[in-house]
Amino acid sequence: MTWEALVFLIFSVITLGSGALVVTTRNLFHAALYLMLSLFGVAGLFVLLTAPFLAGVEIVVYIGAIAILIIFAIMLTPQVMQIPHLRSNQWIAALVAAALFFLMLVSVLTPLAEELGVDNWSAGFTQDDPADVPADTLTTLGESLVDPDLYVLPFEVASVLLMAALVGAAMMVRPEEPEPRRSEPAPVVEPGAEQATTGGD
Amino acid sequence: MTDVLLDIGFSHDLAVLIAKLVGVVVVASFGLVWTLFGIWLERKIAGRFQDRLGPNRVGPFGVLQSLPDAVKIVLKEDIIPTGADKWVFNIAPVLSVFSVLLAWVVVPFAFGWTGSDLSIGVLYLVAVGSLGEIAVLMAGWSSNNKFALLGAFRGVAQLISYEIPMVLALLVPVLLSGSMSLQGIVQQQHIMYFIAVPMTFVIFFISSLAEMGRAPFDLLEAESELVAGYMTEYSGMKFGMFYVGEFLHAFTFSVLAAIFFLGGWKGPFAEDVPFLGLIYLMIKAMFAYFAMMWIRMTFPRVRIDQMLAFNWKFLVPLSLGNLLVVAFLWKLVPDTNAINSFGDAVVPTLVLLVANGLMAAGLLVYLRGEGLRERERVQARLVAVDPAVTAGSGD
Amino acid sequence: MVPLWMFLVVSAALFSTGLYGVLARRNAIAILMSIELMLNAALINIVAFWRYQAPENVGGQVFAAFVFVVAAAETAVGLALIILIYRRHQSVIAEDVNVLKW
């Protein structure tokens, strides 16, 4: 086993293992932490794929911003901690659907397709010796993002989208001051909500 | 190092691996040992600021004071509060130290002395810094204590907000040097960027003060309001780890300030004798660190709303404008890749310096106007509340 | 390096995990987290295809960068909606939000 295969194995186990915990853990705060771990694994896979810039962005954007935003939302919606039923009642159906979907993807994507006698259009997927990445991908990436012939328009559209999302999100959760308060402003949640009534001071 | 190992008879891969591991141990323990000395230095200087002696019992001038402190903190009872989330509670301090130590990977100590000269060095620093936020959040949430949680909320709001001007300020050296690798940035600084873009340096300095949670921005652990913020429930070595992490964070940021704006290891003969580079870097970093201590000792703590308003209404627009101006002026330089010596860098540096001076002057005029208006507003409010207060004696 | 299909299988597994989460969890924030997992599965796919099929073409990385932008926008708006729903209904259970059903 080469070291690349070993690193790949480690990071995919981190990604998939904590990904599975994200969707099964009862405590939402833990789920968010596992989400961070899973995304960290994805960043590791990016490094393995010689895309260090994307790995860095993955950590900054996902772990540094999105996951923290999610944790804030979890804390601002207190009763999420004591949901009696973790899963909806059609969770078995969901499990079956997800498993079937996974099997379908696997059968298409892997050499298994050839074993089954299907056309070998997936032959390209068994490739394990790709060409080298050009040395200064980072510079090329930066320049192509602002190159009028390449991606400047999508880039600007993306920034407008981000701006719109930002303004929209801020507008939506703005406290409605003129009306009489229809609900208490979300109180700060006590950690370990079971003891919230007695402990916490 | 690798050659020696090869001579002994290790295979090439193993030799490289061992050399890297030794490098990791050296860099990490350098940081931690430095902490012991640095804490003494900080306490001593703080003592002088406050007209007292500071630690002076253990060893000459109290140099060894940190050692008994460390022993004491290790021996203290390790308490995990009832209802705490044990795993998260225990991991948070480790993560806090970890996130700081990781930053030292890319620090260029001298010519050719770098743990790993990543091509995305600056992005890496930002990414590693965001791990610290998670440590704060984990510590605050898992403690099952309202002060800890409030401290964590405040802390994360502060860290996330001040990350924006910091990153915008870091983009300026990246822009000027045309490189995201820290070694590349240092090598391009034929004249310190501090001289070319002093405004950016000030923005970086202020936002890094907030990032490391130091006075006047130490709201994460404002003693008078929040007991000890997110680390209220921590005791013994876990508190010690937060303490070390925080201290090391401050020193790391002063090293980074030295690298990005004060020329890093650059100095006379630094390229021939790498060790000199290390000394230059440390001297520059100590200058920055002394300035941080100075601010810490002399400024009162700001309020949380003042802090956030200062960031979003002043620092972020300012750093955006600053980046725009620098980028525009840099575009006017005919060939930025041809700047390879001190002589080439003089003219662009002077142009940038003049532009910065103009911006600073405009800013000061604006701030003065704002200050006068604010004073009138306060005065008006005071008169409205109590008509006895007449204009001119409104304090 | 490991063959391409291994990355694709990891990505498929991550996507299916996210799919299960979206279908089975009741909490809206948990559903949002599962969506993040699915987006990341797509990202792995994009980057792996870029690496193995066209490393000289920077478009793959640009595409991945846009996915980051979309993910950030989606999370911001999604969480704002969830907090708004919480204010109205005192609940973040996706099934409880059924005003539009009848």
Side-chain angles (χ1 to χ4, degrees):
Chain A
M1 191 191 268
T2 62
W3 67 270
E4 273 168 337
L6 188 69
V7 173
F8 172 78
L9 196 69
I10 292 172
F11 279 122
S12 32
V13 166
I14 290 178
T15 306
L16 293 179
S18 38
L21 285 167
V22 170
V23 293
T24 49
T25 313
R26 183 169 280 272
N27 186 329
L28 264 189
F29 185 79
H30 288 177
L33 292 180
Y34 283 128
L35 178 69
M36 288 182 185
L37 196 57
S38 177
L39 300 178
F40 179 77
V42 175
L45 289 180
F46 285 173
V47 173
L48 199 60
L49 285 164
T50 48
F53 177 73
L54 291 179
V57 174
E58 167 96 15
I59 291 184
V60 171
V61 171
Y62 269 107
I63 298 183
I66 291 182
I68 287 188
L69 207 59
I70 287 178
I71 289 183
F72 264 77
I74 290 171
M75 289 177 171
L76 289 173
T77 51
Q79 48 154 264
V80 296
M81 303 287 181
Q82 317 126 309
I83 297 173
H85 302 294
L86 171 72
R87 299 173 287 226
S88 63
N89 37 20
Q90 69 294 49
W91 71 274
I92 297 179
L95 191 59
V96 171
L100 279 179
F101 187 73
F102 176 65
L103 285 180
M104 188 190 82
L105 283 177
V106 165
S107 63
V108 173
L109 294 175
T110 60
L112 198 68
E114 283 171 68
E115 300 276 325
L116 293 174
V118 192
D119 299 343
N120 61 348
W121 61 270
S122 65
F125 295 161
T126 54
Q127 165 192 12
D128 63 350
D129 190 22
D132 282 338
V133 178
D136 54 346
T137 326
L138 201 54
T139 321
T140 327
L141 178 65
E143 279 170 357
S144 66
L145 275 179
V146 289
D147 189 341
D149 296 330
L150 287 167
Y151 302 107
V152 75
L153 186 64
F155 183 62
E156 293 300 327
V157 171
S159 29
V160 171
L161 169 73
L162 211 51
M163 190 71 206
L166 192 76
V167 175
M171 279 301 289
M172 273 196 280
V173 291
R174 197 180 44 148
E176 316 159 33
E177 269 164 29
E179 297 177 55
R181 269 204 312 211
R182 107 184 53 217
S183 63
E184 288 295 308
V188 174
V189 62
E190 303 283 345
E194 295 82 21
Q195 288 128 355
T197 46
T198 52
D201 46 356
Chain B
M1 176 86 202
T2 321
D3 298 336
V4 176
L5 286 174
L6 281 174
D7 287 347
I8 299 174
F10 287 104
S11 72
H12 181 259
D13 286 355
L14 197 62
V16 170
L17 183 71
I18 292 177
K20 292 251 178 207
L21 281 180
V22 170
V24 167
V25 171
V26 167
V27 170
S29 36
F30 174 78
L32 292 175
V33 171
W34 171 262
T35 311
L36 287 180
F37 175 68
I39 287 176
W40 167 77
L41 195 69
E42 170 137 12
R43 289 175 67 182
K44 203 74 183 167
I45 293 176
R48 294 293 170 186
F49 270 112
Q50 295 158 0
D51 200 14
R52 55 190 174 83
L53 286 175
N56 63 349
R57 294 286 144 176
V58 192
F61 304 106
V63 174
L64 301 177
Q65 179 65 46
S66 297
L67 289 178
D69 284 353
V71 171
K72 180 184 154 205
I73 217 165
V74 170
L75 292 180
K76 285 225 174 183
E77 188 188 352
D78 179 33
I79 300 169
I80 298 178
T82 329
D85 199 330
K86 280 211 186 64
W87 266 93
V88 182
F89 188 79
N90 290 334
I91 291 174
V94 182
L95 199 62
S96 161
V97 177
F98 193 60
S99 75
V100 184
L101 279 180
L102 274 180
W104 287 76
V105 169
V106 290
V107 169
F109 290 101
F111 182 66
W113 289 13
T114 314
S116 170
D117 191 22
L118 298 180
S119 61
I120 53 154
V122 176
L123 186 65
Y124 172 84
L125 283 177
V126 178
V128 165
S130 63
L131 292 182
E133 293 162 16
I134 302 171
V136 170
L137 210 49
M138 282 165 72
W141 187 83
S142 63
S143 300
N144 194 18
N145 175 318
K146 68 177 78 161
F147 292 114
L149 191 64
L150 275 177
F153 264 136
R154 280 185 177 193
V156 173
Q158 169 179 345
L159 294 180
I160 289 189
S161 317
Y162 277 87
E163 213 168 44
I164 298 167
M166 194 182 74
V167 172
L168 287 174
L170 281 183
L171 279 180
V172 170
V174 171
L175 188 78
L176 295 184
S177 66
S179 163
M180 283 230 276
S181 119
L182 265 63
Q183 196 69 264
I185 289 177
V186 171
Q187 264 160 8
Q188 273 295 317
Q189 288 189 54
H190 305 292
I191 298 177
M192 290 180 190
Y193 288 154
F194 171 65
I195 296 171
V197 283
M199 284 259 291
T200 319
F201 177 72
V202 173
I203 294 171
F204 175 78
F205 202 78
I206 294 175
S207 46
S208 55
L209 277 179
E211 277 287 304
M212 70 185 87
R214 283 227 152 183
F217 298 111
D218 55 346
L219 289 152
L220 297 81
E221 42 192 291
E223 303 92 342
S224 48
E225 303 160 25
L226 286 172
V227 190
Y230 63 91
M231 44 174 120
T232 304
E233 293 287 356
Y234 283 89
S235 61
M237 199 50 217
K238 284 181 205 150
F239 170 78
M241 286 174 95
F242 272 121
Y243 191 75
V244 166
E246 192 190 315
F247 179 85
L248 206 55
H249 208 173
F251 188 67
T252 309
F253 266 113
S254 46
V255 169
L256 292 184
I259 289 168
F260 285 122
F261 295 99
L262 301 179
W265 48 259
K266 283 241 170 180
F269 308 113
E271 301 205 2
D272 305 322
V273 191
F275 189 71
L276 267 181
L278 180 63
I279 292 175
Y280 291 141
L281 178 68
M282 283 300 147
I283 290 174
K284 288 169 181 174
M286 285 319 287
F287 265 115
Y289 193 65
F290 182 74
M292 280 174 192
M293 272 192 261
W294 199 354
I295 291 172
R296 180 183 180 188
M297 295 309 149
T298 43
F299 273 78
R301 180 183 302 138
V302 295
R303 251 182 7 235
I304 178 88
D305 60 318
Q306 289 170 335
M307 183 191 75
L308 290 177
F310 173 70
N311 178 54
W312 289 107
K313 294 180 184 165
F314 180 72
L315 215 51
V316 170
L318 178 66
S319 49
L320 265 177
N322 176 47
L323 181 64
L324 272 181
V325 169
V326 173
F328 181 71
L329 287 175
W330 200 241
K331 190 74 189 161
L332 296 182
V333 176
D335 187 5
T336 50
N337 288 327
I339 299 179
N340 284 323
S341 67
F342 183 83
D344 295 339
V346 169
V347 176
T349 302
L350 281 180
V351 171
L352 282 173
L353 183 60
V354 170
N356 265 273
L358 289 178
M359 274 164 67
L363 199 65
L364 285 179
V365 171
Y366 167 77
L367 280 182
R368 191 181 139 76
E370 274 296 296
L372 287 175
R373 272 194 292 280
E374 178 67 24
R375 191 174 299 172
E376 275 167 22
R377 230 173 287 147
V378 171
Q379 192 68 256
R381 209 182 315 145
L382 280 178
V383 172
V385 170
D386 181 6
V389 181
T390 50
S393 64
D395 45 353
Chain C
M1 278 176 82
V2 292
L4 172 58
W5 63 267
M6 286 194 183
F7 280 101
L8 300 184
V9 167
V10 168
S11 152
L14 194 61
F15 192 90
S16 308
T17 315
L19 185 65
Y20 167 75
V22 168
L23 292 176
R25 298 289 295 237
R26 302 173 76 226
N27 187 307
I29 298 177
I31 293 177
L32 204 65
M33 286 198 267
S34 310
I35 293 177
E36 296 302 332
L37 285 184
M38 292 162 84
L39 270 171
N40 270 277
L43 268 173
I44 296 179
N45 249 356
I46 291 170
V47 180
F49 275 126
W50 162 77
R51 180 70 187 87
Y52 281 86
Q53 309 283 3
E56 71 288 342
N57 185 350
V58 82
Q61 290 214 18
V62 173
F63 204 159
F66 287 143
V67 174
F68 283 122
V69 173
V70 172
E74 169 249 329
T75 317
V77 177
L79 288 177
L81 279 175
I82 289 172
I83 288 181
L84 209 58
I85 288 171
Y86 178 75
R87 280 198 199 147
R88 285 279 150 95
H89 298 272
Q90 301 295 306
S91 161
V92 285
I93 310 298
E95 296 148 29
D96 291 354
V97 188
N98 51 9
V99 187
L100 282 181
K101 263 193 189 167
W102 62 83

